Amino acid sequence: MIREAKDYESALALAVSGTALATGSFITPVGWAAFALAYKPLVRIQKLARLEKLTTSLLDEFKNQGIQVFPVLTIEDKNPIDLFVRFERKIHLFISIRSIGDKEIVYNEAREVLQIKRKDKHGLKVWNPCPLLELADYEKWLSKNRDLFGMSSREATKTPSAKVLVLWPFTKAADDHNSHLYSEVGSMRILALRRKGTAFVIQQEEVTEFIKAWLAKYE
């Protein structure tokens, strides 16, 4: 479905030169409408391509471990959840995929905000909407909507969950954050930012290794 949606969006962009999508279906009509409203047409094509690549990779890697991957889940007036990954009664992961070009991301501890630093210019600007706050909202959303997944109250509230901000090339986190902002997950040293809970910040190529390490922690 992701691949079909991506192909449709690509054809549409060529046909109407970026005119916003008015009709279509992606997961559900409601889900598609929210997705279409959340992102501009060409951004949607990039987003769909990333979702396709990451979802395919995860299903291939963990197909024998009972992985379930739910893409583009609508959540009230917020950006959709890019991926909700479920290993039933083992772990949950909320994944946001973000790319803002060839820029570095910096966490301002005093203000508790993510900031964007351009390599060719001085100064920082606040990243809005804040991916950390969005991830916190996603976790709350699951506890209220567990019936959509046939999930018990115990699984929804007791299953270890990880909120993960995946930076897609060429966006990356600055490498000079204070040492106390990092946590060890398996053999990985990961930026772990605490804003309404903890969110892990990793690069696209680290997703599989992170999920393996998170699984191993709770098996």
Side-chain angles (χ1 to χ4, degrees):
M1 292 178 70
I2 294 174
R3 187 175 296 115
E4 290 175 357
K6 184 190 70 175
D7 292 344
Y8 178 75
E9 283 282 349
S10 299
L12 184 73
L14 290 173
V16 300
S17 300
T19 301
L21 181 66
T23 60
S25 63
F26 181 67
I27 311 304
T28 66
V30 173
W32 177 264
F35 186 72
L37 290 172
Y39 305 106
K40 296 177 181 179
L42 293 179
V43 173
R44 288 202 300 270
I45 295 171
Q46 294 176 326
K47 175 73 77 172
L48 287 166
R50 291 164 186 155
L51 284 169
E52 178 188 5
K53 181 175 181 177
L54 189 52
T55 299
T56 300
S57 174
L58 294 180
L59 292 175
D60 287 344
E61 183 67 37
F62 300 101
K63 61 185 176 183
N64 296 323
Q65 294 174 264
I67 189 173
Q68 298 175 2
V69 182
F70 301 89
V72 191
L73 297 173
T74 58
I75 171 171
E76 300 167 353
D77 59 343
K78 306 292 191 302
N79 283 333
I81 303 173
D82 288 332
L83 293 176
F84 170 56
V85 178
R86 179 191 186 195
F87 292 83
E88 192 171 355
R89 292 186 295 275
K90 292 182 181 178
I91 63 167
H92 296 156
L93 300 106
F94 302 88
I95 297 178
S96 289
I97 302 170
R98 296 291 183 268
S99 177
I100 50 177
D102 189 12
K103 301 179 180 69
E104 285 191 339
I105 304 307
V106 177
Y107 184 61
N108 185 317
E109 293 183 70
R111 298 175 60 186
E112 295 187 324
V113 295
L114 284 173
Q115 296 179 311
I116 302 168
K117 178 171 66 174
R118 293 189 60 174
K119 292 185 178 181
D120 57 342
K121 292 185 178 181
H122 298 291
L124 301 165
K125 69 174 182 179
V126 176
W127 191 352
N128 283 314
C130 178
L132 303 181
L133 295 180
E134 288 183 321
L135 284 164
D137 289 336
Y138 299 160
E139 194 170 33
K140 292 178 183 177
W141 177 88
L142 177 65
S143 65
K144 297 178 182 178
N145 295 272
R146 58 184 174 81
D147 291 344
L148 294 175
F149 308 94
M151 193 181 299
S152 67
S153 174
R154 179 177 177 80
E155 182 182 352
T157 58
K158 301 298 184 181
T159 300
S161 63
K163 295 173 289 193
V164 187
L165 173 59
V166 176
L167 300 179
W168 206 272
F170 293 96
T171 306
K172 60 177 292 185
D175 56 10
D176 57 354
H177 287 93
N178 291 326
S179 60
H180 68 266
L181 293 177
Y182 292 86
S183 291
E184 303 290 333
V185 179
S187 61
M188 302 178 72
R189 182 173 181 266
I190 301 174
L191 195 61
L193 304 180
R194 292 163 180 82
R195 177 80 190 275
K196 290 191 173 182
T198 299
F200 298 99
V201 181
I202 62 176
Q203 300 299 133
Q204 173 256 325
E205 63 271 16
E206 297 176 313
V207 175
T208 297
E209 184 181 358
F210 175 83
I211 294 179
K212 285 181 178 179
W214 195 254
L215 261 176
K217 184 176 180 179
Y218 293 102
E219 283 187 328

